[in-house]
Amino acid sequence: MLEERKKIAIFAEDMKKRPSLLALLLLAMPLWAQQPLDWGDQLNGTYKNPVLCADYSDPDVIRVADKYYMVASDFHFMGMQVLESADLVNWHIVSQVYRRLDLPEWDANAHYGGGSWAPAIRHHDGRFYVYFCTPDEGLFMATAESAHGPWSQLHCVKAVPRWEDPCPFWDDDGKAYLGRSQYGAGPIIIHRMSADGRTLLDDGVTVYTGPVAEGTKIMKRNGYYYLIIPEGGVCCGWQTVLRSRNIYGPYEKRVVLKQGSTPVNGPHQGALVEAADSTWWFLHFQETHPAGRVVHLQPARWTADDWPLIGVDIDGNGIGEPVAVWTKPSSHPTSPSSLPTPHSSLITSHSSLSPLGLEWQWCHNPADSAWSITERRGWLTLHALPSPTLRQSRNMLTQKTIGFQSQATTQIDASRLSDGDHAGLLCMGHRFMGVGVCRQQGRLSFYLDHDGQRTIVAPCPKKEVYLRAAIDSRHNRHQLFYSTDGRTFTPAGQPYTLRMGSWKGSRVGLFCYTLGSVPGGKAQFARFDYTVKQ
């Protein structure tokens, strides 16, 4: 307990020394970055949890040289994003591991909640490796020389259902292993694996069975093998660590992080990372509604008897509890704030690897013949494919919402819609809410889509109009709007609430579909402006 109090005292004293350095930094920053959000980088050498207030569930993080790289569960969204950071607090997206799953039924929106579960990222022998399981199809991996891509085609290591949460490990002697759990959270099983990471060499050995044990990450330190395991379930669990001198056990067990007296429920499932300055940190998620599973950063240290302790041991019981505010990792104490999603962006990107901005993800596999960024220069064209509801529409392009409060605005040209076509802006979680333009009997109208119930709200007198979504995750109050001039916006329906849906938090995006039995017309979108307010 005395050691923790000393840490807090040093932390407070350190903050007194930073104002002059902070003032110089602010002069070089754009105006938007000078006002810290109520989370993440506080621009004074500290951070406030969550450091990434967005749905990056089941995060895994590694350090390579002086940069950190993160992957997370993307489930039914294409494809898995890779994030980069210099300080574990500010993150930006640098690539996507894949853009489609060439598996049965993934060309229809039939696998909500399926797809990539709890991936692991590792760097071995000059290459990056990402592994993940899908609950129905198997264990997959991809590799790349750079985390920025290009990534190899997905390789199916084993076609088998009901596996989850894989993690590769290369030992000092060159032998390779893979840890994973069984669907339904447990037990933990260790396999021998080929050195190239492409083949499992045995049926595996069960090394631990615990209360909802899953998401294991494997590391080795001072001759001990450590299994970093979340237990107890998503919303109310804790972080367990196992250790043994033999990778197959037997393993000792210690709980190293719990909610304790804090408001941070279920602090677990993440990555234990050593910084370049030899300090240790743990990144994990916290389940919130409707934002999803947001990312927290905890200080960590090793005890005298070689066990990790995560967070701060407030009550002296040997188990850490989450921190709300802490000093940033010292390698970059005052780096400028950054967000994975830009404040304002065109829909397209300048990357040859991804013609769309990396923040964008298709719902299930993209229908590549039904969208274009070249059909009309500077606009995204979405063709209307047949669908009975917004939830089942193929041309649905979305991105994660960021922060507690944000706003998305887009401009749409609806003049090329055919009768029965619907296109617009959506906000989704456990329900699908959309505001858009439809054509019926030759007339354009603004309409509201409330989880499959479509209601006309006003005539649409112009071919180019504006749509907006205001997202307030702090109070769970959201509102959709429409406008004919981009200045005055009219509410479409009443405010609504959201919760997570199919394991994912709230998202905003664009859509286009037709109620007809054959493809219809098309909608074209100019800008998509996304602003994070808090």
Side-chain angles (χ1 to χ4, degrees), residues 42 45 82 88 93 122 190 217 238 257 265 332 362 404 418 466 471 473 501 526:
Q42 298 301 289
V82 180
L88 291 172
I93 305 168
R122 290 294 181 267
I190 301 291
K217 300 294 185 290
W238 57 90
L257 178 68
N265 59 294
H332 288 270
W362 296 98
F404 298 114
S418 300
Y466 301 82
I471 300 105
S473 295

Side-chain angles (χ1 to χ4, degrees), residues 171-328:
D171 207 344
D172 304 330
D173 59 5
K175 292 181 179 178
Y177 301 86
L178 183 120
R180 54 99 178 171
S181 57
Q182 198 70 20
Y183 185 89
I188 304 300
I189 298 168
I190 301 291
H191 296 265
R192 274 294 314 278
M193 185 171 67
S194 60
D196 63 4
R198 294 175 63 87
T199 307
L200 298 184
L201 303 179
D202 60 25
D203 293 330
V205 175
T206 297
V207 298
Y208 179 72
T209 300
V212 197
E214 56 187 338
T216 186
K217 300 294 185 290
I218 308 172
M219 62 174 292
K220 191 176 185 181
R221 184 177 186 270
N222 293 342
Y224 281 110
Y225 297 90
Y226 292 89
L227 305 185
I228 317 296
I229 295 176
E231 289 191 291
V234 170
C235 67
C236 51
W238 57 90
Q239 189 67 35
T240 292
V241 172
L242 309 177
R243 89 175 178 186
S244 174
R245 293 291 185 181
N246 188 306
I247 196 167
Y248 294 114
Y251 279 91
E252 306 172 79
K253 172 183 175 179
R254 182 172 293 187
V255 175
V256 298
L257 178 68
K258 272 191 171 183
Q259 177 176 352
S261 60
T262 76
V264 182
N265 59 294
H268 67 183
Q269 184 112 353
L272 188 61
V273 182
E274 183 179 17
D277 64 356
S278 298
T279 58
W280 286 81
W281 302 85
F282 183 70
L283 294 103
H284 65 91
F285 69 68
Q286 178 199 9
E287 182 174 291
T288 63
H289 290 276
R293 287 181 276 176
V294 300
V295 180
H296 287 235
L297 176 65
Q298 306 296 337
R301 62 181 176 85
W302 291 87
T303 62
D305 56 350
D306 262 342
W307 287 95
L309 189 145
I310 298 170
V312 174
D313 183 7
I314 296 174
D315 56 10
N317 67 350
I319 301 174
E321 298 180 22
V323 301
V325 180
W326 202 255
T327 51
K328 289 175 58 179

Side-chain angles (χ1 to χ4, degrees), residues 106-125:
W106 277 91
D107 285 338
N109 289 18
H111 279 278
Y112 281 103
S116 61
W117 283 31
I121 183 169
R122 290 294 181 267
H123 188 259
H124 169 68
D125 199 21

